[in-house]
Amino acid sequence: MLINKYGKIILILTMVFTLALSSVTCVYGAKVDDPIPVFDFVNGIEEVDQPIKYNNKELSIKGKALEGTQITVSTYWYNSGNEQSIVFKEKDNNSNEDADGEWVLQHTKKCKVGLSGIFGISVTIKPGKNKIIVKADNEEPYEIEIEYIDSEKITEKINDLMFDGLKLDFE
Amino acid sequence: MKLERLKSIVLFCLVAISIVLTTQIWLNISIEGIFIMSKNKEYKNNELLSSDNDKASFIKPEKLIINNNGKHTLLFNETEAGMIYDRILDDMKNMLSVVFEAKEGMELEKRTLDYMEKLRAGRSVELQLPFAYDYKLLAGILGINNPNWQEIKKVDAVVVGYDSNNVYIVDKGDESIYEFRSKSLRSSIRVMVDMINRGKPYSYIFLNDIDSERYSDAVFIPVDIDKHSMPKLSSYSETDIYTIEDIAKYFFEDPTTLRSIVDPSGTVIYTDGENQGIRISKSGVIEYVKYSISSKNDGGNFTALDAVNIATNFVNSHMGFPKDSYISSIEQTTINNKLYSCVIRYNYRYEGIPIVNDDVTMDNPIEVEIVNGQVKRYKRVVKNIKVTGSVMSVRKPLEIIDILFMRLNHDKKIEIDDIMIKDIYLSYLEYGINNPTSMIPVWVVEVQVDSSFNASGRFIMNAESGVILFEPY
């Protein structure tokens, strides 16, 4: 009975907290405006701060190359070996990769550049750290690191943590 | 114990009711189930036409783009997303009205056109209008007769930041973006966009981000549409649905008292021999002309807004508008600094996709010319559209652009650097001579060529094969 009473209070508080947190993550998402660079194999690529923070599961890789160039886009995800890590809390930690972690190849997509001189490939990324390598025939490949923050996953995870083991039967 | 149980039930009921009511408010639909939208009715012959349209409903975008932190999506006014599309459009119009009317509490900041890049990189909805509206005319169509902020001359696009609810009015001619901030600017666009994003829409890219010399900022293409297909359609002209006499009755009370002529091509002409007449061609082109209109510019107070009102009312009462019609252009002619004539053109889309008539030179299926406040000419070629059983796959737009460059560069010997792609979009093209006429999905590419050889204009290419079906010559 006591658990139920407190359970309901905890439920209400958790809902309020979760809503507040999800708006925080959305606002945080709104502030993220690091552009994904154009992979220009003709004129070169602009320097960007890495990892690039990104809020979408799907990522468009676009660029410019000479006609006939074969473009290969490979996507890697950093498996830190730590299940609980859903957000990289400190920026400085990004460079200090977990000793147990490893980069896992997710997808490889290819396309050939036509007369338009343009290529575009859509890839999906996973929450956490991702690495995109864009290769063009004999050119030096471009590599960028992207940190995908899935706000929905964060909310889901918090819900799991809060509600896990909590009996909320209405008796 | 029983009291606790009762409280729990009441609490549960309250939560359930709040969810249902919130859903209703968000979606503005009858309850068929939570988040289940009502199915669209099947349209019978000419139920597509309506005659009670308000002029504000004809303000529709050429493109409605959702920008979400680097991911871009083009939203179509199709059955699946139609309700969300309409809701976003209504919210944007309401926000514009608030901006136009605001006297207090509205902050304005003028920015340069470069700011568009930042808006597109963030979270915003971008409404690209089919042409640059006169600021006062746009406000007038929305019902605001004396709007504030009259330093704004034209409106090419409207952008709403859906986290901040800030409104941005883009005037490309002035190379300016006017940012409006106010607590009174509210919308449900963020909720609508979240719903769109849950549907995993296609990702689009702006090609001018990659090469601004070869692609205009309107070139906006999906990156990956490997498995995308579109249904083939068939179309009937209005002369297949109505008899010639029925059509004539829209314009004359008693057509039997008129003189009628049938020319060798089968076109029927009705005329009263004095004031007005209509031509009805076998292919479905209907043209009304009023002969007796004063050529002197005596319409002292005649404005473009009056012209829009007159044209809209005239079409409403003369055969009506097809579903999803919008104003596609307004052409004004002035004499002695006074408006003399105004041509209002309307276009329509099927499932969000524009229609290209078999007469590709008639871009706009409905055209009304107003002279001195009276309808001088009215022309329409509207089709009744049906879905056929077959579908066509759609080729990637980058492949289509490659085929086009091949045609211009290899066959017509035009330097690649002289070619600029102005726009590319999917359409339906009437194709063939059978009745009903087939309508096939096509890619339309608008090209500008800066060289002595004139190949500028519109290329129409089969969306599946990439074969060029029409090109400028």
Side-chain angles (χ1 to χ4, degrees):
Chain A
M1 187 67 189
L2 195 67
I3 291 172
N4 273 332
K5 194 178 175 185
Y6 285 114
K8 271 180 266 179
I9 293 167
I10 290 168
L11 169 69
I12 292 161
L13 286 174
T14 309
M15 281 169 78
V16 172
F17 176 72
T18 308
L19 282 171
L21 189 84
S22 54
S23 24
V24 166
T25 51
C26 285
V27 170
Y28 176 68
K31 284 178 182 169
V32 174
D33 57 359
D34 294 337
I36 304 297
V38 173
F39 295 88
D40 191 336
F41 287 98
V42 180
N43 304 312
I45 189 170
E46 279 179 32
E47 282 279 321
V48 286
D49 291 338
Q50 294 193 41
I52 296 168
K53 287 186 170 53
Y54 196 67
N55 290 114
N56 291 300
K57 195 177 179 184
E58 209 174 326
L59 177 71
S60 298
I61 301 295
K62 57 191 177 185
K64 203 172 165 184
L66 296 175
E67 186 198 352
T69 310
Q70 177 84 35
I71 301 290
T72 310
V73 177
S74 306
T75 319
Y76 295 84
W77 174 67
Y78 188 72
N79 182 4
S80 62
N82 182 356
E83 283 285 313
Q84 288 185 356
S85 170
I86 53 166
V87 192
F88 292 87
K89 288 174 188 167
E90 291 170 35
K91 276 189 176 180
D92 297 343
N93 283 354
N94 293 324
S95 52
N96 304 328
E97 284 160 11
D98 197 317
D100 299 331
E102 56 174 346
W103 287 105
V104 183
L105 178 66
Q106 300 294 302
H107 315 278
T108 299
K109 284 191 175 182
K110 289 181 180 185
C111 72
K112 199 165 189 177
V113 180
L115 264 175
S116 65
I118 277 177
F119 63 88
I121 290 175
S122 184
V123 295
T124 49
I125 52 176
K126 290 176 79 171
K129 281 205 283 188
N130 295 266
K131 187 160 68 180
I132 315 287
I133 299 176
V134 186
K135 284 182 195 163
D137 288 342
N138 302 321
E139 301 281 336
E140 188 76 19
Y142 291 132
E143 189 179 311
I144 56 161
E145 221 171 275
I146 290 173
E147 189 182 322
Y148 168 36
I149 302 158
D150 187 346
S151 50
E152 280 182 21
K153 274 267 189 283
I154 295 170
T155 314
E156 208 176 280
K157 191 83 182 175
I158 290 165
N159 284 342
D160 287 351
L161 289 171
M162 300 288 285
F163 290 106
D164 202 27
L166 188 67
K167 269 195 170 182
L168 291 168
D169 301 330
F170 291 104
E171 284 180 69
Chain B
M1 193 69 178
K2 273 187 181 173
L3 189 68
E4 281 298 309
R5 202 184 177 89
L6 189 69
K7 276 184 191 172
S8 302
I9 292 166
V10 170
L11 180 66
F12 179 78
C13 289
L14 285 172
V15 170
I17 289 167
S18 72
I19 290 170
V20 173
L21 292 178
T22 312
T23 310
Q24 260 204 299
I25 293 165
W26 281 352
L27 303 180
N28 199 18
I29 56 170
S30 57
I31 304 168
E32 291 194 16
I34 298 169
F35 291 107
I36 295 174
M37 299 193 188
S38 56
K39 284 180 185 170
N40 273 27
K41 290 175 194 169
E42 290 250 327
Y43 288 98
K44 291 179 193 164
N45 272 4
N46 259 30
E47 277 187 343
L48 288 171
L49 298 177
S50 61
S51 55
D52 56 350
N53 297 285
D54 171 51
K55 59 184 183 297
S57 69
F58 294 105
I59 300 174
K60 283 191 181 149
E62 187 79 18
K63 288 174 186 164
L64 184 56
I65 297 168
I66 296 173
N67 301 307
N68 182 13
N69 280 334
K71 184 183 173 183
H72 313 282
T73 300
L74 184 61
L75 191 60
F76 291 98
N77 189 10
E78 57 192 339
T79 307
E80 283 174 12
M83 205 170 282
I84 295 173
Y85 182 99
D86 288 342
R87 190 63 189 261
I88 292 175
L89 207 55
D90 285 347
D91 273 9
M92 291 181 87
K93 286 180 193 171
N94 290 339
M95 291 171 98
L96 270 182
S97 298
V98 170
V99 168
F100 294 153
E101 278 186 314
K103 293 206 164 49
E104 287 172 359
M106 185 70 68
E107 287 175 49
L108 166 64
E109 191 171 343
K110 192 175 175 182
R111 298 178 181 276
T112 60
L113 208 51
D114 304 340
Y115 195 70
M116 197 68 192
E117 207 176 302
K118 198 152 181 92
L119 289 175
R120 283 178 174 170
R123 283 158 58 91
S124 62
V125 173
E126 186 179 336
L127 187 144
Q128 288 184 358
L129 292 165
F131 63 99
Y133 270 90
D134 280 337
Y135 176 75
K136 278 185 82 175
L137 174 63
L138 181 67
I141 295 176
L142 290 174
I144 316 294
N145 291 323
N146 195 19
N148 294 319
W149 330 106
Q150 293 204 14
E151 67 265 37
I152 307 172
K153 299 288 171 242
K154 298 270 185 186
V155 182
D156 292 271
V158 179
V159 182
V160 170
Y162 53 80
D163 288 314
S164 62
N165 278 331
N166 291 348
V167 173
Y168 303 84
I169 293 178
V170 182
D171 182 349
K172 286 185 183 171
D174 190 29
E175 297 198 332
S176 301
I177 295 176
Y178 298 85
E179 178 180 348
F180 293 92
R181 295 184 297 263
S182 170
K183 282 179 183 169
S184 56
L185 290 169
R186 295 191 192 101
S187 80
S188 57
I189 294 176
R190 187 166 136 188
V191 178
M192 298 294 124
V193 170
D194 283 346
M195 288 168 78
I196 292 290
N197 286 335
R198 278 188 203 116
K200 293 177 183 155
Y202 289 124
S203 285
Y204 281 67
I205 51 174
F206 289 95
L207 291 197
N208 74 320
D209 283 352
I210 306 167
D211 190 342
S212 58
E213 285 172 8
R214 206 174 286 175
Y215 304 94
S216 86
D217 66 345
V219 184
F220 182 61
I221 60 162
V223 184
D224 229 338
I225 51 163
D226 274 344
K227 289 169 191 161
H228 189 73
S229 61
M230 286 168 71
K232 278 170 87 171
L233 308 175
S234 64
S235 72
Y236 297 85
S237 68
E238 287 179 308
T239 46
D240 294 326
I241 301 161
Y242 299 107
T243 64
I244 301 288
E245 288 75 24
D246 284 342
I247 294 170
K249 274 182 194 166
Y250 278 105
F251 299 88
F252 302 99
E253 276 184 17
D254 186 5
T256 54
T257 60
L258 304 171
R259 208 157 16 125
S260 72
I261 306 153
V262 182
D263 75 10
S265 66
T267 298
V268 180
I269 300 162
Y270 280 100
T271 175
D272 63 4
E274 210 176 305
N275 287 320
Q276 51 195 345
I278 52 165
R279 290 163 55 92
I280 305 163
S281 82
K282 275 186 100 175
S283 62
V285 180
I286 299 163
E287 193 171 6
Y288 163 87
V289 180
K290 188 162 189 175
Y291 314 125
S292 54
I293 283 189
S294 165
S295 58
K296 286 182 186 172
N297 185 19
D298 53 3
N301 296 320
F302 168 54
T303 64
L305 181 61
D306 295 333
V308 171
N309 282 331
I310 294 164
T312 305
N313 291 338
F314 192 83
V315 180
N316 269 334
S317 57
H318 294 84
M319 304 191 75
F321 285 95
K323 197 180 167 215
D324 204 8
S325 295
Y326 61 98
I327 298 173
S328 50
S329 78
I330 296 176
E331 195 182 303
Q332 300 179 48
T333 309
T334 51
I335 296 178
N336 297 330
N337 290 326
K338 281 185 177 175
L339 183 63
Y340 170 67
S341 78
C342 201
V343 180
I344 319 284
R345 297 189 178 91
Y346 302 86
N347 210 336
Y348 67 102
R349 302 183 181 108
Y350 179 82
E351 288 289 300
I353 305 289
I355 308 294
V356 182
N357 294 310
D358 50 359
D359 179 1
V360 290
T361 54
M362 192 172 168
D363 284 350
N364 301 278
I366 298 177
E367 202 172 293
V368 187
E369 185 182 355
I370 314 288
V371 177
N372 275 344
Q374 292 178 64
V375 175
K376 164 78 181 161
R377 194 172 54 83
Y378 166 46
K379 192 175 177 183
R380 64 185 280 144
V381 53
V382 172
K383 300 298 165 86
N384 190 15
I385 297 163
K386 301 270 176 211
V387 182
T388 67
S390 52
V391 292
M392 276 170 75
S393 59
V394 176
R395 216 164 165 155
K396 287 182 187 177
L398 272 180
E399 291 173 4
I400 293 292
I401 292 173
D402 284 341
I403 294 169
L404 184 68
F405 275 120
M406 191 88 83
R407 169 75 178 139
L408 293 172
N409 183 248
H410 291 196
D411 300 344
K412 296 195 169 187
K413 309 293 177 208
I414 296 169
E415 286 292 321
I416 294 276
D417 290 344
D418 289 344
I419 303 166
M420 182 166 205
I421 307 290
K422 303 289 284 180
D423 204 354
I424 177 168
Y425 49 91
L426 279 169
S427 287
Y428 277 110
L429 171 74
E430 280 195 305
Y431 195 65
I433 51 168
N434 297 332
N435 194 17
T437 315
S438 288
M439 277 189 158
I440 57 165
V442 289
W443 279 108
V444 177
V445 192
E446 289 174 11
V447 180
Q448 184 185 309
V449 177
D450 297 328
S451 65
S452 54
F453 187 86
N454 190 5
S456 297
R458 200 160 64 154
F459 288 75
I460 298 175
M461 300 158 83
N462 185 310
E464 187 173 72
S465 64
V467 168
I468 298 172
L469 304 171
F470 177 85
E471 64 178 21
Y473 53 88

